C-alpha cells in the first residue's frame, strides 16, 4: 500500500530517515495513548509507515502534511485519502496554519500531533506548537535523542536550557522510547527518541511563551556566566532579576521553571 522506496531515494535535505517495522510503528503511533476516533496531524509522513500504523490504530481523521512531492502524491492515492478519512496536504509544515487546516477538512480540535520529525525543522516546529496551545492536545514527536534529553531536562542537568523551560511551561514531556540508528533506512548517525508531551492541566501552564523565550535565550546564551552578566544582552532583564528576587550571581542552569516564569513576568511588566 505504501510507496516502495529504496534507501538511496531518501533526500538528505529533507531529513529523510524512514521506519518500516510495523510493530515499532504501532508502538510509536500509540505512545501518547489510544488514538482511536481522534483527529491526528502527522507531519512528514514520508512513505507512510507511521501513517499506516495510525490508520490501522483507528484514528478518526488523519491530516498528513508532506513537503516531498513523491510522497504527497503517493499518499493521496491511498484508499483512506479517497474515502476522506485521511487528508494529505502537500506543503511545508512551517508555512501551514495547522489549526485552520484541521478545521477546513472537518477534523476536530484539539488535535493530537504524531510525527517522526525531520531533524532540521523539528525544534522550530515544536517551539511554534508550544506557543499555540489552544488547537492541539498530546504531541508524540520523534527527535534526535540529544534534543529529546534537552526537552525533558531538569535544572542542574547538562541538557537543561531554553527548550526544557519552554516545553515544560506548556506541557509535561517524557521520553517514551529510544530508537537506535539501525531501525531507520537510511540510518541516521545518532540515536532517536520518541517524546510524549501531554498538555498541562488548566491553570498550570505559563501564558507568555514569547517572554519566556526572550529571557531564556539571553540567560542560556552565555550559560557559564552569572545571570547579571548573561542578561545584559536583553534590555531590562537585569532589572527584572531584582523584581523577581533572583540572586544575580546565580547561573541560568540553576533556575527552576517557577523562577524562570517569575523572571519572564517581571521582564514583560517592566
Ligand atoms: N514519517 C516517516 C517515517 O517515520 O518513516 C518519515 C520521517 S522522515 C524523518 C521526515 C519526513 O518529513 C520526510 O518524509 C520529509 O520529506 C518530510 N519533511 C521534511 N521537511 C518537511 C517540512 N518542512 N514540511 C513537511 N514535511 C517535511
Amino acid at each position: 500500500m505504501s510507496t516502495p522506496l529504496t534507501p538511496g531515494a531518501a533526500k538528505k535535505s529533507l531529513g529523510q530517515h524512514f521506519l518500516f517495522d510495523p510493530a515499532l510503528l504501532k508502538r510509536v503511533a500509540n505512545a501518547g495513548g489510544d488514538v482511536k476516533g481522534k483527529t491526528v496531524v502527522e507531519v512528514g509522513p514520508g512513505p507512510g509507515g507511521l501513517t499506516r500504523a495510525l490508520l490501522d490504530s483507528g484514528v478518526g481523521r488523519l491530516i498528513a502534511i508532506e513537503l516531498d512531492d513523491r510522497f504527497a502524491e503517493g499518499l493521496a492515492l491511498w484508499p483512506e485519502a479517497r474515502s476522506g478519512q485521511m487528508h494529505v496536504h502537500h506543503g511545508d509544515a512551517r508555512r501551514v496554519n495547522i489549526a485552520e487546516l484541521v478545521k477546513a477538512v472537518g477534523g476536530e480540535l484539539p488535535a493530537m500531533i504524531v510525527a517522526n520529525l525531520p531533524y532540521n525543522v523539528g525544534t522550530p516546529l515544536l517551539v511554534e506548537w508550544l506557543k499555540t496551545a489552544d488547537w492541539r492536545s498530546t504531541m508524540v514527536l520523534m527527535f534526535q535523542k540529544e534534543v529529546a534529553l534537552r526537552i525533558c531536562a531538569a535544572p542542574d542537568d547538562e541538557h537543561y536550557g531554553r527548550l526544557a523551560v519552554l516545553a515544560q511551561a506548556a506541557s509535561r514531556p517524557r521520553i517514551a522510547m529510544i530508537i537506535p540508528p539501525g531501525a531507520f533506512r537510511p540510518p541516521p548517525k545518532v540515536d532517536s527518541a520518541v517524546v510524549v508531551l501531554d498538555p498541562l492541566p488548566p491553570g498550570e501552564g505559563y501564558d507568555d511563551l514569547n517572554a519566556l523565550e526572550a529571557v531564556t535565550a539571553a540567560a542560556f546564551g552565555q550559560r557559564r556566566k552569572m545571570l547579571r552578566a548573561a542578561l545584559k544582552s536583553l534590555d531590562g532583564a537585569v532589572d527584572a532579576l531584582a523584581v523577581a528576587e533572583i540572586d544575580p550571581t546565580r547561573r541560568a542552569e540553576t533556575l527552576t521553571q517557577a523562577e524562570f516564569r517569575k523572571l519572564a513576568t517581571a521582564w514583560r511588566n517592566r
Side-chain angles (χ1 to χ4, degrees), residues 14-19 42 44-46 65-68 91-93 116 118:
L14 292 179
Q16 294 183 346
H17 299 279
F18 306 118
L19 290 169
E42 186 191 359
I65 304 171
E66 174 60 58
L67 186 52
D68 189 324
D92 186 335
N116 173 8

Side-chain angles (χ1 to χ4, degrees), residues 149-227:
L149 291 171
R150 288 204 268 129
I151 293 168
C152 301
D156 289 321
D157 180 316
E158 59 170 312
H159 296 100
Y160 188 58
R162 183 185 75 109
L163 210 47
V165 179
L166 292 179
Q168 294 167 36
S171 72
R172 195 168 285 154
R174 66 185 166 84
I175 292 180
M177 61 184 97
I178 305 285
I179 305 185
F184 297 86
R185 293 288 172 275
K189 291 199 171 69
V190 294
D191 279 343
S192 300
V194 175
V195 183
V196 176
L197 301 103
D198 285 318
L200 288 171
E204 283 189 26
Y206 185 69
D207 65 345
D208 193 346
L209 259 71
N210 288 316
L212 205 51
E213 193 177 27
V215 297
T216 52
F220 287 106
Q222 303 180 71
R223 59 186 293 143
R224 299 284 161 233
K225 288 200 174 164
M226 290 180 192
L227 284 167

Side-chain angles (χ1 to χ4, degrees), residues 11 13-20 25 42-51 65-71 89 91-96 114-121 125 142 184-185:
K11 288 187 187 164
S13 61
L14 292 179
Q16 294 183 346
H17 299 279
F18 306 118
L19 290 169
F20 293 104
L25 286 160
E42 186 191 359
V43 173
L50 186 53
T51 318
I65 304 171
E66 174 60 58
L67 186 52
D68 189 324
D69 314 2
R70 301 170 302 170
F71 298 134
H89 180 89
D92 186 335
R94 291 167 295 186
R95 303 194 199 293
V96 180
V114 180
N116 173 8
L117 289 172
Y119 290 152
N120 47 348
V121 296
L125 279 176
M142 190 166 330
F184 297 86
R185 293 288 172 275

Side-chain angles (χ1 to χ4, degrees), residues 33-55:
D34 197 357
V35 292
K36 202 172 261 143
K38 296 196 176 142
T39 295
V40 175
V41 175
E42 186 191 359
V43 173
L50 186 53
T51 318
R52 170 55 46 217
L54 286 163
L55 290 166

